[in-house]
Amino acid sequence: MSLDPPTYLNSLQNNIRARPIPWEGAVRAGTITDQDLKKIKAVDKVRKEQRKQTVEADVGTYRDLLLGGDSGKSVLESAAKRADVVQYILVLTGDLLNDVPGLPSALLDHSDPYKPFLPLLTHSSNAEDPIPLLTSSVLASLISAAQIKFPKSTPQTDQALPKLYKYLAGLTKSLDSGLQDIAVQEYSAVLRTKKSRELFWKQRQETVGPLMEILRTASGAGKDTDSTLWSGGASIRSATDAGLGGGVGLQVLYHVLLVLWQLSYEGSLVGKGLEEEHEIIPLYTQLLRLSPKEKTTRLLLSTLLNLLTPMSNRSYLLATAVSVRLPNLLSNLKGRHLTDPDLLDDLQSLTDMLDDYTSSQTTLDEYSSEVLAGHLKWSPPHRDQTFWRENASKIVTDNKGELPKKLAEIIGKSWDNDKQVLAIACNDVGWLVKECPEKRGELEKLGLKGRVMELMAEPDENVRYESLKAVGEWLRYSFDK
């Protein structure tokens, strides 16, 4: 998968290529050797074909120049005190890796192919420092080549990847979209293998977290804001070619989605965690509503399919997908003029999967799915007296009281941006007390009574009303007794 080089990085490399370097002075100062200079000049500022022939004719010599060998240190280590020389050599190294097909493999035959580069990632804490930026680009290219040469990975690559991930994670937190784009494109370059994706997930607080924040911003839902995601408040008309919510550009959005699509190939490993930690199903459903391009729609659908397919994820994630009305959205998507065959295949596969799931669900299943998804809406069961009369006992007792425990978790949050959830939770608690008065003590132990009483002082009128009704059921039982 080939991506256009990030504009920010490309501009930086061009500026460095154009700078004059006083090479002879560097030799006199002992920064580099005369032999090093001859090797550099033989491939610097020459035609691509000539560069390729020169290196291929003496690939071992160029491996020693860049990585060090029996005869001495890497030129990067020798020139460590000269930032201009280090920057120039890093750009030249990147050019050689791109222009000489046999060089990456030769470098990877070295006993420690990443040694001269890894220390340069921590050269500075300044995100705009050229040396770490250029180093990360070289490392991404080299590690990507290693994943092709050694599909089962190597200890050196497994040790280098976490250090590269840590540096790139810092770039994704930058407010500069150019730096963010460098990071996500380099992530994408190295997420080729199962091992690299597992390591990426292992560092998910650093790696995945900032990417999900970019997507939440694009969706129009800031951090800790649930109502936009669950209500589907925005429409496709909200998105433009310039960007989506929060000024997130479509190029950065596409590359972030690409990284998470690659990660989703480890669906059984990451699916539940992505939902629990980042509410990925509501988020991707909202982004599908907003997606103005087929290429972003394709990635969103394919990622959802990868996450929903593993049997270990289905009971949890399909319930959430139904709660956020993903089936209705997929039906609407079919009405659009979509032409990409992979997109259409994934759309049909998702539709079939969700149709199979919903057709087998009872009303109690639907209610359970909604509660377990962690977000409530005024769906029909909440106000259906017959539903509560028939199912309240099961709700309280099945699966060791799983649903009341989840209700206690839901009602315990503040829901500052969606007070309706609190009103619905109070309604449900009231029905449980009314239909299962003998279970009142168990519900009270979960903190439901205390929380419902607190909510009687809630400023929101609907929450106050439903909490008063629920407390009334507790009091009515006491008086009747």
Side-chain angles (χ1 to χ4, degrees), residues 5-22:
T7 305
Y8 187 112
L9 184 63
N10 202 35
S11 175
L12 174 63
Q13 290 167 332
N14 285 336
N15 288 338
I16 291 171
R17 289 187 193 101
R19 292 177 192 168
I21 301 291

Side-chain angles (χ1 to χ4, degrees), residues 54-185:
T54 300
V55 174
E56 288 181 342
D58 197 5
V59 72
T61 295
Y62 281 91
R63 180 178 61 213
D64 291 348
L65 173 72
L66 298 175
L67 302 182
D70 296 336
S71 57
K73 295 189 292 186
S74 157
V75 66
L76 287 168
E77 294 171 312
S78 300
K81 294 182 180 180
R82 283 285 302 272
D84 58 336
V85 173
V86 171
Q87 291 174 23
Y88 200 92
I89 295 298
L90 286 169
V91 173
L92 181 61
T93 301
D95 292 342
L96 293 175
L97 289 172
N98 291 329
D99 296 346
V100 186
L103 182 62
S105 181
L107 294 181
L108 293 166
D109 286 335
H110 191 278
S111 61
D112 199 350
Y114 311 117
K115 181 184 176 185
F117 305 110
L118 290 174
L120 298 178
L121 289 175
T122 56
H123 178 265
S124 167
S125 59
N126 178 6
E128 296 182 5
D129 186 325
I131 289 179
L133 280 172
L134 297 168
T135 302
S136 70
S137 176
V138 170
L139 278 170
S141 296
L142 199 52
I143 290 173
S144 179
Q147 292 169 337
I148 296 171
K149 183 178 174 71
F150 307 112
K152 292 186 177 180
S153 194
T154 65
Q156 293 92 338
T157 297
D158 292 347
Q159 290 166 15
L161 270 171
K163 295 175 183 177
L164 178 60
Y165 288 157
K166 182 178 179 66
Y167 171 72
L168 296 178
L171 297 186
T172 61
K173 297 173 187 174
S174 169
L175 298 177
D176 189 318
S177 62
L179 295 176
Q180 289 178 338
D181 201 38
I182 290 171
V184 291
Q185 287 209 45

Side-chain angles (χ1 to χ4, degrees), residues 10 68 85 93 106 115 133 195 223 254 283 390 476:
N10 202 35
V85 173
T93 301
K115 181 184 176 185
L133 280 172
K195 183 66 174 180
K223 190 172 183 179
Y254 175 75
L283 176 57
E390 294 176 352
R476 183 173 67 84

Side-chain angles (χ1 to χ4, degrees), residues 17-34:
R17 289 187 193 101
R19 292 177 192 168
I21 301 291
W23 292 114
E24 285 72 16
V27 172
R28 287 194 298 272
T31 302
I32 60 173
T33 67
D34 189 53

